[in-house]
Amino acid sequence: MKLLRYGPVGQEKPGLLDATGTLRDLSTVVPDISSSSLSPAGLDKLKSLDPKALKAVAGNPRIGPCVTGVGKFICIGLNYSDHAAETGATVPPEPIIFMKATSAITGPNDDVIIPKNSEKTDWEVELGVVIGSVARYVSEADAMKHVAGYCLINDVSERAFQTERHGQWTKGKSADSFGPIGPWLVTADEIPDPQDLPMFCDINGKRFQNGSTKTMVYGVRYLISYLSQFMSLQPGDIISTGTPPGVGMGQKPPLYLKDGDKIHLGIAGLGEQHQTARNYKG
């Protein structure tokens, strides 16, 4: 099942993409795609629907973030060994955890805004894991029971803010528009193996990232269990699991986004995103 949200910014409605690719309205069934609809009971309710009985949405509306009311946007750093190598870092002995501000969340095809005073805005295609039920001190064996589904994420990053300023990475990860998610939340039953998903990112039509989730250092099951030892994971929380090599800072010489650049990324089964980088206008 592919769940999404559509409509103008701040006025999104819940929707479902049926097997034929038709967008169906869910607003008469659930108020939104949020924590309550992502619970096991909420997903069972949606799965019991006949999509053909839902109203088809006309036209080509804007697609918004696939989840709303996100409590935590948790990110994992240096989770692909080849990406760590390209940045000059070593694979950490435990997952690197940082937070991306939820105010960074945008729709999958909204503009990426290059922040004021930015010189090193970068791209990162990532697998997102959306939590569906509370996970607290869970084992790896039970971890996947807490997954509502998966989504595509562009973990946009400002590298100078992230690595050349004092403090933690969060300041380089949290600018408005730095968290495009979607187009859909694909329920876990449709992704039997999240550790075998090809992924890519193109800039201005040139392929820079061409990887697979199979090369993650710490897999989804481990990450959920690990994170739940330090904080409870709540329905609607998102875990962004790291990126394969090919980011801008890893190029020789480094290459960063500039006004007008076109970003195209995707993960098999989770859809694609298309963004245009735009300078901050104030």
Side-chain angles (χ1 to χ4, degrees):
M1 185 166 55
K2 295 180 174 67
L3 303 175
L4 67 156
R5 302 171 65 249
Y6 67 95
V9 176
Q11 301 177 43
E12 292 92 346
K13 295 181 179 181
L16 177 153
L17 196 71
D18 71 16
T20 69
T22 300
L23 174 56
R24 303 279 180 173
D25 179 56
L26 279 175
S27 59
T28 60
V29 182
V30 292
D32 216 328
I33 307 300
S34 59
S35 57
S36 59
S37 53
L38 296 176
S39 68
L43 290 178
D44 284 345
K45 177 182 177 180
L46 295 177
K47 290 174 183 176
S48 70
L49 299 172
D50 177 6
K52 294 179 181 178
L54 300 170
K55 179 182 177 182
V57 178
N60 187 29
R62 167 187 172 268
I63 303 300
C66 57
V67 183
T68 190
V70 176
K72 294 190 287 295
F73 199 159
I74 307 164
C75 300
I76 308 299
L78 302 177
N79 197 27
Y80 289 71
S81 57
D82 36 12
H83 169 59
E86 75 171 345
T87 64
T90 57
V91 174
E94 294 185 46
I96 292 175
I97 303 171
F98 62 93
M99 298 289 192
K100 185 184 283 279
T102 57
S103 55
I105 293 174
T106 57
N109 305 315
D110 295 342
D111 288 346
V112 166
I113 305 302
I114 298 172
K116 185 178 180 180
N117 300 319
S118 166
E119 296 180 353
K120 297 181 178 181
T121 295
D122 205 347
W123 59 85
E124 296 189 16
V125 59
E126 304 202 3
L127 170 68
V129 181
V130 183
I131 299 299
S133 61
V134 176
R136 186 182 292 112
Y137 301 116
V138 301
S139 66
E140 287 188 57
D142 290 333
M144 304 305 280
K145 298 176 183 177
H146 299 276
V147 176
Y150 303 93
C151 66
L152 171 63
I153 295 174
N154 187 356
D155 177 21
V156 186
S157 309
E158 211 298 337
R159 301 303 189 184
F161 297 175
Q162 177 189 355
T163 63
E164 299 172 22
R165 307 275 296 264
H166 291 289
Q168 299 180 342
W169 289 2
T170 299
K171 69 177 70 171
K173 299 284 190 168
S174 295
D176 291 350
S177 82
F178 271 26
I181 62 173
W184 321 300
L185 183 156
V186 181
T187 50
D189 57 298
E190 292 198 6
I191 306 293
D193 185 3
Q195 302 306 151
D196 190 18
L197 301 176
M199 56 207 306
F200 73 89
C201 183
D202 298 345
I203 306 297
N204 297 324
K206 179 180 178 180
R207 180 78 28 110
F208 281 88
Q209 291 188 276
N210 187 19
S212 170
T213 58
K214 67 173 59 176
T215 66
M216 277 186 193
V217 177
Y218 302 107
V220 171
R221 185 183 300 275
Y222 180 87
L223 290 173
I224 292 170
S225 175
Y226 181 84
L227 289 168
S228 77
Q229 310 306 310
F230 304 100
M231 66 190 86
S232 64
L233 301 176
Q234 302 287 330
D237 286 353
I238 297 174
I239 305 168
S240 198
T241 57
T243 197
V247 299
M249 72 179 297
Q251 305 304 308
K252 300 184 186 306
L255 177 69
Y256 297 108
L257 294 170
K258 61 185 183 301
D259 188 63
D261 281 349
K262 303 295 184 181
I263 311 163
H264 175 207
L265 58 150
I267 297 179
L270 301 182
E272 300 183 2
Q273 299 182 357
H274 296 265
Q275 296 125 19
T276 301
R278 296 294 186 194
N279 288 335
Y280 174 75
K281 302 292 186 183

